[in-house]
Amino acid sequence: MARFYLTAFLMIILSVFLLPGCSSTNCSTSFGAAAGEVVHPVSRVSVDVIYSDHVPITGVEIFCDNPLVHIFNAVTDDAGNYVFGIQAPNGSSFTLTFHKDGHIIHSVSFTIGEGGIVMEDGSILYPLVAVGYIPFGADGAEGRVSDFIEENVALFNAPVDAVVSPDGKKVYISEEINNRIRVFDVASEQLSTLAGSAISGYRNGIGADARFNQPAGMAITSNGKYLYVCESENHCIRKIDTQTAEVSLFTGTPEVSGNAPGGPNVARFYIPFEIAFSHDESLLYVADAWNKSVRKIDVATGNVTTLGTAFTNNIYGVTVAYDPDTSVETVYVSATFQYRIYSMNVSTGAKTLIAGSSAGFADGPGASAKFGLPTGIVASHDAKFLYLCDYLNSKIRKIDLDDNSVSTLSGAGEGYANGPGSQAKFLYPYSLGISNDDKTLYVPDYQNQRLRTVDTASGYTGKISGGGRAGFHDGPDGESLISFYGNVFDVLLSDDKNILYASDFRYIWKINLETREVSTVASSCYIGSALAYNTSYGSENHAVAHKMVFSHDRKIIYIADSSSNMIRSVELATGNSTIIAGNTVAGFNDAVSGADVRFSQPNGLVLSPSGNELFVTDGKNSRVRKVVVSSGETVTVAGSSAGFAEGTGTAARFNLPSDIVISPDGKFFYVADSYNHRIRKIDTVTYEVTTFAGSDSVGRQDGVGLAAVFDEPRGLAMSADGSVLLVCDYRGSNIRQIRMSDISVTSLAGGIHYGFADGSGAQAILSSPDGISISDDLSIVYFADSLNAMVRRIVSSYVTTY
């Protein structure tokens, strides 16, 4: 086969989003390979590159995934361009991945003979553009890792609470998934990080050296010096010096849940979620969510006691109102799963119903009002009003304490929209903060990944920070190029590797991987114009297209519509959705007619070799079922009640089977048996079920077959040649790889903690990956990093965020 010499250059430029291609004025033939040049082929090289501010970055590595493609004669010119040659067969396709620990750089895929500029000497010139973010600092330390190579906008991942500094110049935001405390500067509109890092856990320290595990509610002292943080998953209260960023334990027993009084390392909490100061700042009141109690902390000693008696269910909001006219102080509590707001006497702990009665939505006086899970709550400084997040209704509600009447301040339902209160939309806000003049609410819009403001007089709502998609990046305000609607559940890669389909809470998305153009194929929770949801999951938990699979002709996507308990098809050309089997009523029923079939959280599916049947993992029914595509007729082929048992057909038992794939020869199914922490194997003829990998142990341990250990495996993808099975280890926040020849299980990507960071192998940090797709040539993997709400990819073992 004829060979061409391909010459390429890489320009790493700070804060450049898109560069034009080469022109005759900026591409010199000096980049071509010289005749008779000696070639020293390698597939990996280490280079020095230079940012536009002329700061050098040493040790950037370039990987090539095609063994027939070789890099040679690498140099960095005076302008900072990285110049190298590539030797490869004509027509070769390959991907070059540029990266360095601590810096996010680009992966570029192309084919020789396509898209390049033919030079006078016959070589082909390709301009490759990678975008760097924060270069080395003046002290030589590496910059912070960004997560998205073509954006320079502030990004959040599950912002929970906000508090305002006493001078009104800063807003502090806690982030559940990023495990950080962020700071928004009101004047400069810049977002920065005060404390925490990509890695979840518990560690005291300064700034990024500290570790958090799902920080939630916060309270700040009147002098602005100290910030107190509810550490929900570490079950303690942390204290941050806002000037030095030093993080320390305030009280509680780190990483140990319970319900006990006492001081630091003695007292125990169970998911402390929100916190508020007394008027004189001598006490802190905590909504100890899973203890269903309001806990009282002496600020001087850290000693913890319980105020009054426990509520009947979990509580997620607490605030304190001090009436300056009467000098009366009152604690107010969001009794979240009682759908009520109570007041508590600070001396006796006696409770009084203020508003709410049952689940739903209704404005009105006192008990006639209805909420859909009230969570975070704040009192105005004049003690006249309460403001709260109505989580499931995606609204900001207001209570007038003169008559306890409830009204809607802002929110027209789920979505994202700014404007007057009656038109603004939120997506599951958890908590909120209030300015010292009582004029502005600061609302971290949890699944919209933005910091919003609400005018307390008019309800007018705007956005002040956040790109609108999950991620981590300090920087200016702006809008992200790609924004998903809540968590991402599955991905499906086209055969040519040019198109990726992704499912989130509401939509099936089509992503052009070359141009990054994004469009919606279908809305996953609508049937025609009617909303479809399973009422047993709550009126706002709309249907989720959990897992997807192509028809053999690639014209249709079949989806397991998890919350609607349906198996559906979507025509890619039109977006039309058809119900194959099931309806919105959860249950179990095999039937000849699809309309009579009942599922309970179906969440994985695979098409038979004939294309006539779908095999579905029916999660909560703990079964694998066969669905005839043309009629919806459904029968159970394996499994019965939840549990674990080997056996044939219904004699076998699963526990929340979550995904299924079929071997290329059609002889075996492989099932992610999530709550059994195993990969199961099913004979496609006899339906005999055996364990392929994993055991009754829980965790992450590489090994062979039954010696391997998983932690809730969910997503599966098998290579076209059947040599590799990839597993999304959901709670292990890891991508595992099973070599089918010897059943050896290894970790492909993900560290020992959940969170977010791009990187190679264990340096990459994930948060509950769910769905996964692999190219036929094994060169690239895309996966749905569910709780990070991201589509991420793996090239040459390096994880980047798409």
Side-chain angles (χ1 to χ4, degrees):
M1 182 179 290
R3 287 182 179 268
F4 282 80
Y5 285 113
L6 165 71
T7 302
F9 67 88
L10 170 67
M11 302 177 65
I12 298 184
I13 299 176
L14 182 66
S15 300
V16 175
F17 301 151
L18 182 64
L19 294 184
C22 277
S23 66
S24 59
T25 59
N26 62 12
C27 289
S28 168
T29 57
S30 64
F31 291 134
E37 188 171 20
V38 177
V39 175
H40 303 285
V42 292
S43 60
R44 179 198 300 209
V45 295
S46 182
V47 302
D48 294 345
V49 297
I50 299 178
Y51 282 93
S52 59
D53 58 4
H54 304 295
V55 178
I57 306 296
T58 59
V60 174
E61 291 186 313
I62 299 181
F63 294 87
C64 181
D65 65 345
N66 188 332
L68 299 178
V69 177
H70 301 291
I71 305 169
F72 66 95
N73 290 5
V75 297
T76 303
D77 67 16
D78 293 339
N81 301 325
Y82 178 56
V83 184
F84 58 94
I86 293 179
Q87 184 186 43
N90 187 31
S92 296
S93 296
F94 55 97
T95 299
L96 297 180
T97 303
F98 306 82
H99 69 82
K100 172 183 171 62
D101 296 343
H103 299 267
I104 298 303
I105 309 179
H106 217 333
S107 290
V108 182
S109 300
F110 51 87
T111 299
I112 291 182
E114 297 178 4
I117 299 173
V118 179
M119 307 303 295
E120 293 177 358
D121 63 358
S123 64
I124 302 174
L125 180 67
Y126 281 84
L128 306 182
V129 179
V131 179
Y133 271 109
I134 309 299
F136 282 76
D139 59 356
E142 286 187 358
R144 294 183 297 273
V145 176
S146 174
D147 70 325
F148 197 70
I149 56 177
E150 294 194 3
E151 294 178 337
N152 184 31
V153 297
L155 296 175
F156 294 103
N157 197 349
V160 175
D161 195 17
V163 296
V164 186
S165 62
D167 58 11
K169 295 181 178 181
K170 295 179 179 179
V171 181
Y172 297 92
I173 306 103
S174 58
E175 284 185 283
E176 180 179 271
I177 305 300
N178 273 333
N179 298 298
R180 292 172 167 94
I181 306 301
R182 312 284 289 280
V183 186
F184 176 75
D185 186 282
V186 175
S188 66
E189 298 185 345
Q190 291 285 314
L191 185 69
S192 61
T193 299
L194 176 66
S197 68
I199 301 175
S200 64
Y202 176 83
R203 187 167 72 188
N204 293 320
I206 296 175
D209 289 334
R211 290 182 183 175
F212 298 92
N213 196 347
Q214 297 189 21
M218 301 179 293
I220 194 166
T221 55
S222 58
N223 61 8
K225 182 171 176 55
Y226 294 110
L227 188 67
Y228 293 84
V229 181
C230 288
E231 265 264 75
S232 63
E233 288 295 329
N234 280 327
H235 311 292
C236 61
I237 309 300
R238 308 286 286 279
K239 180 180 179 180
I240 306 176
D241 186 313
T242 60
Q243 298 175 5
T244 66
E246 182 178 3
V247 180
S248 58
L249 172 68
F250 175 56
T251 195
T253 305
E255 301 180 286
V256 180
S257 63
N259 188 353
N265 294 304
V266 175
R268 292 188 179 182
F269 298 90
Y270 196 5
I271 315 290
F273 197 80
E274 194 163 63
I275 191 167
F277 271 114
S278 62
H279 174 66
D280 62 4
E281 298 186 11
S282 64
L283 298 171
L284 277 166
Y285 295 93
V286 180
D288 196 2
W290 284 28
N291 277 325
K292 307 169 188 176
S293 300
V294 174
R295 312 294 294 281
K296 184 168 64 173
I297 307 172
D298 185 298
V299 174
T301 65
N303 193 60
V304 180
T305 56
T306 299
L307 178 65
T309 58
F311 290 79
T312 59
N313 214 319
N314 297 356
I315 62 173
Y316 283 87
V318 65
T319 191
V320 177
Y322 176 78
D323 189 333
D325 295 329
T326 62
S327 299
V328 173
E329 187 164 86
T330 305
V331 172
Y332 292 92
V333 180
S334 290
T336 305
F337 288 92
Q338 293 177 248
Y339 311 100
R340 294 171 169 88
I341 307 300
Y342 285 91
S343 66
M344 295 184 72
N345 185 289
V346 295
S347 299
T348 66
K351 304 180 183 71
T352 302
L353 177 66
I354 297 298
S357 54
S358 58
F361 171 74
D363 288 334
S368 67
K370 293 184 178 182
F371 301 98
L373 297 186
T375 50
I377 185 170
V378 294
S380 60
H381 294 85
D382 60 10
K384 292 182 178 180
F385 300 101
L386 297 176
Y387 303 94
L388 61 98
C389 291
D390 194 353
Y391 179 80
L392 281 186
N393 284 321
S394 290
K395 299 177 188 292
I396 307 301
R397 310 289 290 276
K398 179 180 180 179
I399 302 177
D400 188 323
L401 292 177
D402 281 342
D403 57 8
N404 294 338
S405 60
V406 179
S407 60
T408 298
L409 179 64
S410 184
E414 294 179 11
Y416 173 68
N418 295 316
S422 60
Q423 299 175 18
K425 292 184 178 181
F426 299 86
L427 194 57
Y428 309 134
Y430 256 123
S431 198
L432 70 172
I434 191 169
S435 62
N436 286 336
D437 61 7
D438 288 338
K439 292 182 178 180
T440 304
L441 297 175
Y442 291 90
V443 183
D445 200 353
Y446 183 73
Q447 288 197 7
N448 274 323
Q449 313 295 352
R450 295 172 168 100
L451 179 63
R452 315 278 297 276
T453 57
V454 179
D455 185 281
T456 57
S458 67
Y460 191 91
T461 299
K463 185 210 79 167
I464 58 173
S465 187
R469 72 168 189 85
F472 169 71
H473 186 237
D474 288 334
D477 185 28
E479 287 298 322
S480 171
L481 301 177
I482 299 176
S483 300
F484 293 104
Y485 194 98
N487 298 353
V488 184
F489 294 104
D490 198 16
V491 290
L492 202 56
L493 182 64
S494 64
D495 292 341
D496 60 8
K497 299 188 290 186
N498 290 330
I499 301 296
L500 189 73
Y501 296 92
S503 66
D504 64 14
F505 264 120
R506 178 160 288 180
Y507 300 105
I508 306 295
W509 297 89
K510 179 181 178 181
I511 304 170
N512 187 309
L513 296 175
E514 295 293 327
T515 66
R516 293 182 181 265
E517 180 183 0
V518 180
S519 58
T520 56
V521 175
S523 175
S524 63
C525 70
Y526 284 86
I527 302 172
S529 59
L531 277 171
Y533 55 80
N534 185 338
T535 54
S536 70
Y537 285 84
S539 62
E540 298 298 327
N541 189 356
H542 297 310
V544 173
H546 202 79
K547 296 290 196 307
M548 307 178 289
V549 67
F550 281 122
S551 61
H552 289 329
D553 61 8
R554 300 305 196 257
K555 293 181 179 180
I556 290 173
I557 289 179
Y558 299 105
I559 62 175
D561 212 346
S562 183
S563 295
S564 282
N565 301 300
M566 297 174 181
I567 307 302
R568 297 165 65 183
S569 65
V570 175
E571 294 180 1
L572 293 178
T574 64
N576 290 335
S577 177
T578 302
I579 302 171
I580 296 174
N583 63 27
T584 59
V585 179
F588 171 73
N589 189 44
D590 286 337
V592 174
S593 170
D596 296 327
V597 174
R598 297 291 181 269
F599 296 96
S600 185
Q601 199 172 315
N603 45 27
L605 70 176
V606 69
L607 196 61
S608 67
S610 69
N612 296 325
E613 301 94 16
L614 288 164
F615 288 83
V616 179
T617 50
D618 194 4
K620 288 198 171 181
N621 281 323
S622 297
R623 292 169 167 88
V624 176
R625 304 170 73 182
K626 181 174 72 173
V627 180
V628 177
V629 173
S630 59
S631 65
E633 178 183 357
T634 300
V635 297
T636 297
V637 299
S640 54
S641 58
F644 173 77
E646 312 282 36
T648 299
T650 55
R653 297 175 74 186
F654 302 92
N655 196 352
L656 197 76
S658 296
D659 203 6
I660 183 170
V661 296
I662 191 169
S663 60
D665 60 11
K667 292 182 178 180
F668 298 102
F669 296 115
Y670 296 89
V671 174
D673 193 1
S674 295
Y675 284 1
N676 280 323
H677 309 287
R678 294 170 169 95
I679 307 302
R680 311 291 290 280
K681 181 179 179 180
I682 306 177
D683 187 297
T684 58
V685 176
T686 66
Y687 298 124
E688 180 186 8
V689 180
T690 56
T691 296
F692 184 64
S695 66
D696 57 359
S697 297
V698 181
R700 194 186 79 182
Q701 178 178 303
D702 292 342
V704 176
L706 306 187
V709 179
F710 297 90
D711 193 353
E712 198 174 319
R714 286 209 188 177
L716 299 176
M718 180 167 281
S719 61
D721 63 3
S723 64
V724 172
L725 179 66
L726 297 182
V727 182
C728 288
D729 213 0
Y730 185 81
R731 289 186 63 85
S733 290
N734 201 263
I735 305 297
R736 312 291 291 280
Q737 177 176 273
I738 304 177
R739 189 167 61 193
M740 302 299 286
S741 60
D742 59 2
I743 322 179
S744 60
V745 181
T746 56
S747 295
L748 180 63
I752 61 174
H753 300 270
Y754 79 89
F756 170 78
D758 286 341
S760 183
Q763 296 172 344
I765 301 177
L766 324 178
S767 192
S768 299
D770 200 336
I772 191 166
S773 188
I774 185 172
S775 63
D776 287 346
D777 61 3
L778 305 180
S779 65
I780 191 166
V781 173
Y782 286 90
F783 65 93
D785 199 2
S786 176
L787 292 187
N788 273 326
M790 297 172 177
V791 170
R792 304 179 74 181
R793 63 184 174 187
I794 307 173
V795 179
S796 302
S797 298
Y798 192 81
V799 178
T800 58
T801 303
Y802 194 83

